[in-house]
Amino acid sequence: LDCGAIMFVKSHSGRYRCVNDTYLEMFGFSCLDEVLGKTDEELIETILAKPEHPIFHHSYRGEAITDLPEIWRENDESVLTMKRPRWFRERSPFVKDGRLHEFVIMKAPFEDGLVGVGVLDGV
């Protein structure tokens, strides 16, 4: 589904179960196998290790790229604990320009974990 938004599904343990093509493109992954079963920490490590990706040396509001997985996980946990959808502004790497950008993301719980849908802020 090409709708311009990133979409993802994570298990309760924080492992990716599904992402859409927009997610793959925005974060520079070439196939689902690079993402599925991985945690946010593992995905950030993969992004930083790829030689074809720009170097993410920028921070955004004092956050470095390596700080992001903990923030995302805290937001995920709040959704799972409260058992209701929530909206967040989260920073994420955008491989096309090598900078961190803010996304507006809705995360909602479901029986097997959580689902998220996000767009670049201002898009």
Side-chain angles (χ1 to χ4, degrees), residues 29-115:
F29 296 108
S30 58
C31 65
L32 285 173
D33 289 340
E34 289 184 277
V35 177
L36 300 185
K38 305 270 176 45
T39 63
D40 291 322
E41 291 84 0
E42 292 168 327
L43 293 185
I44 291 297
E45 288 173 13
T46 301
I47 289 170
L48 291 173
K50 286 189 169 201
E52 69 271 20
H53 288 178
I55 297 172
F56 287 95
H57 59 275
H58 300 88
S59 66
Y60 184 89
R61 296 186 180 173
E63 295 167 353
I65 189 171
T66 52
D67 298 329
L68 299 176
E70 182 179 342
I71 294 164
W72 298 337
R73 187 66 183 157
E74 287 173 6
N75 291 343
D76 293 356
E77 288 294 331
S78 74
V79 168
L80 294 170
T81 299
M82 296 174 82
K83 299 180 182 172
R84 66 175 181 86
R86 296 196 58 206
W87 289 90
F88 300 96
R89 290 188 181 277
E90 293 183 344
R91 272 69 57 206
S92 294
F94 189 52
V95 290
K96 289 185 179 181
D97 66 8
R99 296 178 57 211
L100 300 180
H101 288 272
E102 193 162 80
F103 283 74
V104 177
I105 296 181
M106 188 277 305
K107 294 181 177 184
F110 73 103
E111 185 177 316
D112 295 328
L114 68 88
V115 62

